[in-house]
């Protein structure tokens, strides 16, 4: 059974397949509505942290596709506190058709997936944010026509959103540059993984501590909050560390004139991004937020309606077996 936990778990072909499916479902929705591909299916949504986009876009995605979603708040579930993660996974699997979870610890999403007997979707952890990255790739593809060979520059914290963006860029052949203050850089392991993907795709990865150098000639300038959910006690220290990392008009002027500006949101206007840039002509932050809906429809349809018979990985494996059999 397939989950959607990390961009790293999906091949470039599978990611492109999901992007193509998202485009198809978006067009269908714009023409008047989606087919009820998930009729009768229910998504259980576990949240340990607040959310606007993830909560509403998953709920609406299920409704548009003829299914339903169940919101389970931090107080109700008490994941790992009131009840063990493994027990929650095994109980919930008997009621719902898929689980989407936003957890603090990445270990918890892995544990959910280990024990659930239905597909598990990662709605953000302290390691990554793969649904966001798929929507980001869709947005870049729509505005720039492709990912391959583009220069994507991320300015800010080398945290969850940066990890998934790094992975989708290097899977799909975009060059990825990141500038973070000392002590807030990407962890070594996700960078090593990305280097493997980059060897396949031809992407270049550049790790810097200078935001000006990072955005020079960029096609995409991306930022995220300096203080992520759960880090509120460090807000003041972080504001000091990230001084000079604001994506403002002066910084953006160093990128290509047709560069687009992205932010996963929620934004802290005046900190990591100015009003001028966020509301300016190069900003695509709201179409980007909308694309969460379309990208996640593709994930849901793939996991709930297409498995196992049309999974590209299985098709590839089956093709490999047939070829091997012919050779024998
Ligand atoms: N970008 C994102 O995941 O937003 P929410 O925290 O509002 O879900
Ligand atoms: N880095 C942010 C992303 C929110 C979608 C956080 O973890 O709070």
């Amino acid at each position: 059974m397939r989950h959607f936990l990390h961009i790293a778990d999906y091949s470039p072909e599978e990611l492109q397949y999901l992007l193509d499916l998202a485009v198809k479902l978006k067009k269908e929705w714009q023409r008047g509505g989606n087919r009820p591909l998930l009729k009768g299916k229910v998504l259980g949504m576990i949240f340990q942290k607040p959310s606007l986009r993830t909560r509403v876009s998953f709920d609406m995605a299920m409704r548009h596709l003829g299914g339903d979603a169940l919101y389970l708040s931090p107080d109700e579930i008490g994941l790992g506190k009131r009840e063990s993660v493994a027990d929650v996974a095994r109980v919930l699997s008997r009621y719902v058709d898929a689980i989407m979870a936003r957890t603090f610890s990445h270990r918890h999403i892995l544990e959910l997936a280990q024990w659930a007997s239905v597909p598990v979707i990662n709605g953000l952890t302290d390691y990554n944010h793969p649904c966001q990255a798929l929507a980001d790739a869709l947005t870049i593809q729509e505005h720039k026509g492709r990912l391959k060979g583009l220069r994507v520059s991320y300015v800010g914290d080398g945290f969850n959103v940066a990890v998934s963006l790094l992975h989708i860029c290097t899977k799909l052949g975009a060059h990825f540059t990141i500038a973070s203050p000392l002590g807030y850089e990407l962890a070594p392991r996700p960078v090593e993984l990305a280097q493997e993907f980059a060897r396949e795709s031809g992407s270049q990865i550049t790790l810097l501590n200078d935001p000006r150098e990072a955005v020079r000639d960029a096609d995409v300038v991306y930022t995220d909050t300096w203080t992520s959910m759960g880090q509120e006690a460090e807000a003041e220290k972080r504001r000091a560390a990230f001084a000079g990392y604001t994506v403002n008009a002066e910084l953006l002027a160093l990128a290509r004139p047709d560069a687009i500006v992205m932010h996963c949101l929620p934004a802290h206007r005046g900190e990591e991004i100015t009003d001028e840039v966020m509301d300016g002509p190069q900003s695509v932050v709201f179409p980007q937020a909308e694309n969460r809906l379309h990208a996640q429809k593709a994930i849901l349809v793939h996991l709930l309606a297409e498995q196992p018979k049309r999974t590209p990985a299985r098709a590839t494996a089956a093709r490999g077996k047939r070829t091997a059999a012919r050779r024998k």
Side-chain angles (χ1 to χ4, degrees), residues 260-301:
I260 55 170
V261 176
M262 301 180 72
H263 191 310
C264 59
L265 305 181
H268 300 77
R269 288 165 174 263
E271 292 195 8
E272 75 274 7
I273 191 164
T274 59
D275 285 338
E276 191 183 12
V277 169
M278 180 135 159
D279 301 325
Q282 289 169 266
S283 166
V284 299
V285 301
F286 297 114
Q288 178 187 1
E290 180 190 316
N291 277 338
R292 292 291 301 279
L293 178 67
H294 310 300
Q296 288 158 197
K297 277 183 189 172
I299 296 167
L300 290 165
V301 167

Side-chain angles (χ1 to χ4, degrees), residues 49 102 124-125 129 132 159-161 224-225 227-229 264-266:
K49 319 179 205 181
R102 166 168 286 191
L124 177 77
T125 69
H129 199 359
Q132 182 68 53
F159 196 46
N160 44 19
V161 169
D224 181 18
T225 183
T227 302
S228 286
M229 290 179 273
C264 59
L265 305 181

Side-chain angles (χ1 to χ4, degrees), residues 19-271:
L19 290 173
D20 294 346
L21 183 56
V23 169
K24 213 165 87 186
L25 292 165
K26 182 171 181 176
K27 281 193 188 133
E28 187 181 84
W29 177 71
Q30 286 170 335
R31 281 198 299 264
N34 290 121
R35 287 161 297 151
L37 297 169
L38 301 184
K39 192 169 168 16
K41 306 269 189 197
V42 177
L43 175 71
M45 307 194 294
I46 300 176
F47 281 91
Q48 284 193 316
K49 319 179 205 181
S51 169
L52 171 65
R53 279 143 292 270
T54 306
R55 177 181 175 175
V56 181
S57 58
F58 265 109
D59 194 331
M60 293 312 295
M62 286 304 291
R63 292 189 206 195
H64 290 174
L65 292 162
D68 217 333
L70 208 60
Y71 172 71
L72 301 158
S73 74
D75 299 341
E76 280 159 336
I77 290 273
L79 193 70
K81 290 186 192 129
R82 180 172 183 267
E83 199 163 358
S84 79
V85 177
D87 289 353
V88 170
R90 284 177 288 187
V91 172
L92 208 49
S93 292
R94 287 164 188 260
Y95 301 142
V96 299
D97 301 283
I99 298 170
M100 190 280 294
R102 166 168 286 191
T103 61
F104 280 105
S105 160
H106 192 66
R107 194 173 44 81
H108 282 166
I109 198 100
L110 297 178
E111 223 177 310
L112 275 174
Q114 183 189 341
W115 289 99
S117 52
V118 297
V120 174
I121 301 170
N122 176 350
L124 177 77
T125 69
D126 61 1
Y127 174 65
N128 64 351
H129 199 359
C131 295
Q132 182 68 53
L134 195 68
D136 296 341
L138 178 62
T139 311
I140 296 171
Q141 194 178 273
E142 280 176 353
H143 287 83
K144 292 278 158 202
R146 66 187 208 285
L147 271 104
K148 203 158 184 73
L150 281 188
R151 298 161 74 98
V152 177
S153 294
Y154 180 100
V155 176
D157 199 6
F159 196 46
N160 44 19
V161 169
V163 165
S164 292
L165 187 67
L166 164 70
H167 286 169
I168 206 153
C169 283
T170 48
K171 284 267 182 180
L172 297 177
H175 305 307
F176 185 86
T177 300
I178 181 168
S180 312
L182 282 171
Y184 297 92
E185 294 100 336
L186 284 162
R189 181 63 192 140
V191 175
E192 281 161 22
L193 269 177
Q195 277 157 349
E196 281 173 33
F197 309 150
R199 269 193 289 279
E200 291 288 311
S201 69
S203 300
Q204 288 160 13
I205 304 169
T206 313
L207 311 173
L208 302 169
N209 301 106
D210 178 355
R212 297 175 71 82
E213 198 184 333
V215 300
R216 202 153 281 137
D217 297 325
D219 296 292
V220 177
V221 176
Y222 198 118
T223 190
D224 181 18
T225 183
W226 296 339
T227 302
S228 286
M229 290 179 273
Q231 301 170 338
E232 289 78 5
E234 300 171 18
E236 208 170 314
K237 188 176 117 204
R238 285 172 166 269
R239 264 195 290 274
F242 284 85
Y245 279 76
T246 304
V247 177
N248 54 23
E250 192 203 334
L251 191 70
L252 185 58
L254 300 171
R256 286 177 57 99
D258 60 351
I260 55 170
V261 176
M262 301 180 72
H263 191 310
C264 59
L265 305 181
H268 300 77
R269 288 165 174 263
E271 292 195 8

Side-chain angles (χ1 to χ4, degrees), residues 316-328:
T316 310
R319 265 202 302 280
K321 269 189 203 143
R322 282 199 300 275
T323 314
R326 269 201 304 276
R327 279 201 206 105
K328 269 184 198 156

